[in-house]
Amino acid sequence: MKQKILSNEEIAPGIFRMVVNMWKEAQKACPGQFVHIRCSSSNDPLLRRPLSIHELIPETVGVLYRVVGKGTDLLSKKKRGDVLDIIGPLGCGFRTKPAVEPVVIVAGGMGVAPLLFLAQSLMNVDRHMRAKQALPQNRLASLPLQRRDVRVLIGAKTREFILCEEEFTKLGCSVDIATDDGSYGQEGYVSSLFEESIRKKKAGQVFACGPNAMLREIAAMSARRAVECHVSLESRMGCGVGVCLGCVIKTKGKDGISGYRRVCRDGPVFDAQTVLWDEFISRL
Ligand SMILES: Cc1cc2nc3c(=O)[nH]c(=O)nc-3n(C[C@H](O)[C@H](O)[C@H](O)COP(=O)(O)OP(=O)(O)OC[C@H]3O[C@@H](n4cnc5c(N)ncnc54)[C@H](O)[C@@H]3O)c2cc1C
Ligand code: FES
């Protein structure tokens, strides 16, 4: 797809929100899915870069990204009106259940990227209603908000890297913040907020995205309380569509038998209890 860029703004140091025109396939996107973007018109870098779908609002698709290397640096230099070569939506997203509450969303740093779209989706209309009404995602924003108990916990190093607090609040989620240096919200890691939250009230489902060490902790805490937890994982990607096997990780089935799964096709969202965390973290 070739889509026109509508805006590309730096919203925090080194962090950009890019909005492009909607395309047909993106109307059916699910939270947790990603797009694969060609960052340069030359062959350098050759490979596309994966970015989660951050928000779908009528007629537009947004991504939120941090500049970490050549590809994201090139992206950050693109201007309104430039055309972006983009494939997607790709992968399998978060598997939400309509009647299960409270939903706890845990975002560490840039992990907030796919989780705003998840909250939008949870607060607007559940999957069953969407299927019933055959409603495209880009019309969800015009529907009345649902009253759902969605708790969002956001963590970052410092105050300036706390992203999307206002957007989650406007959706009707309760939001709690932790910063490593205590410059905003509670001092410490977001995993401590999570522990307090599930101690006070058991979560129905947990969805998390962020640094791997954080995800491992959230997975372990959820397992101890027998709470279903889904995590969005990152891996270096080649094709993005399940062919090259460049993104495989070793996982275990619920019966304990392990096997290889593709982050791009079988994920990027996985049941946290199927991830072999030591192996996943040491491979990066
Ligand atoms: C499914 C998926 C969704 C993603 N969504 C987002 C998002 O919404 N916002 C965002 O900012 N980033 C996201 N990422 C990470 C993003 O794809 C990488 O930061 C980007 O590809 C880096 O490209 P680059 O050319 O700028 O950096 P490179 O020059 O390729 O690498 C710079 C540094 O980043 C590390 N890195 C690069 N790619 C990855 C990766 N996939 N996983 C872990 N480390 C990596 C490298 O090891 C290196 O240290 C996502 C990754 C995946 C797999
Ligand atoms: S990136 Fe090619 S199989 Fe996943």
Side-chain angles (χ1 to χ4, degrees), residues 103-122:
V103 175
V104 180
I105 291 177
V106 191
M110 285 309 298
V112 80
L115 298 174
L116 182 65
F117 181 20
L118 174 66
Q120 283 181 336
S121 177
L122 284 166

Side-chain angles (χ1 to χ4, degrees), residues 57-273:
I57 35 182
E59 309 311 327
T60 67
V61 178
V63 289
L64 183 75
Y65 63 95
R66 184 155 57 100
V67 175
V68 294
K70 191 161 197 173
T72 44
D73 184 50
L74 284 165
L75 268 190
S76 71
K77 300 205 160 66
K78 294 197 183 288
K79 302 265 172 292
R80 180 184 163 87
D82 288 352
V83 169
L84 199 65
D85 184 332
I86 190 165
I87 297 177
L90 300 173
C92 294
F94 296 103
R95 291 169 287 279
T96 56
K97 292 179 179 164
V100 174
E101 287 186 358
V103 175
V104 180
I105 291 177
V106 191
M110 285 309 298
V112 80
L115 298 174
L116 182 65
F117 181 20
L118 174 66
Q120 283 181 336
S121 177
L122 284 166
M123 287 309 214
N124 276 304
V125 62
D126 62 50
R127 278 164 190 272
H128 297 280
M129 260 177 84
R130 178 149 59 100
K132 244 192 211 162
Q133 301 175 355
L135 207 59
Q137 273 285 359
N138 69 337
R139 284 196 44 219
L140 293 184
S142 60
L143 291 175
L145 293 183
Q146 295 211 132
R147 281 180 188 276
R148 290 199 63 170
D149 186 355
V150 179
R151 298 161 189 208
V152 180
L153 312 176
I154 310 176
K157 283 201 168 90
T158 61
R159 182 181 190 130
E160 63 189 336
F161 294 108
I162 294 291
L163 306 169
C164 305
E165 180 187 2
E166 200 183 326
E167 288 86 341
F168 283 115
T169 307
K170 273 189 188 155
L171 283 171
C173 307
S174 72
V175 181
D176 286 303
I177 308 280
T179 48
D180 296 3
D181 66 353
S183 51
Y184 191 41
Q186 182 169 304
E187 181 174 349
Y189 293 144
V190 70
S191 48
S192 307
L193 278 184
F194 177 68
E195 194 165 32
E196 279 167 36
S197 164
I198 54 169
R199 199 168 350 112
K200 279 189 207 144
K201 185 166 182 184
K202 189 175 170 179
Q205 273 193 301
V206 175
F207 301 102
C209 185
N212 293 326
M214 177 204 105
L215 293 181
R216 175 161 56 182
E217 269 198 76
I218 301 296
M221 290 172 188
S222 301
R224 280 200 290 277
R225 293 184 182 262
V227 176
E228 191 178 327
C229 173
H230 296 258
V231 290
S232 180
L233 299 183
E234 288 191 7
S235 166
R236 297 304 294 257
M237 285 192 182
C239 67
V241 290
V243 178
C244 72
L245 305 185
C247 65
V248 289
I249 59 165
K250 204 169 180 186
T251 60
K252 58 177 187 287
K254 288 212 164 136
D255 49 9
I257 298 168
S258 55
Y260 289 95
R261 317 227 348 243
R262 298 158 300 181
V263 172
C264 68
R265 192 71 187 249
D266 306 312
V269 178
F270 290 90
D271 179 332
Q273 308 318 325

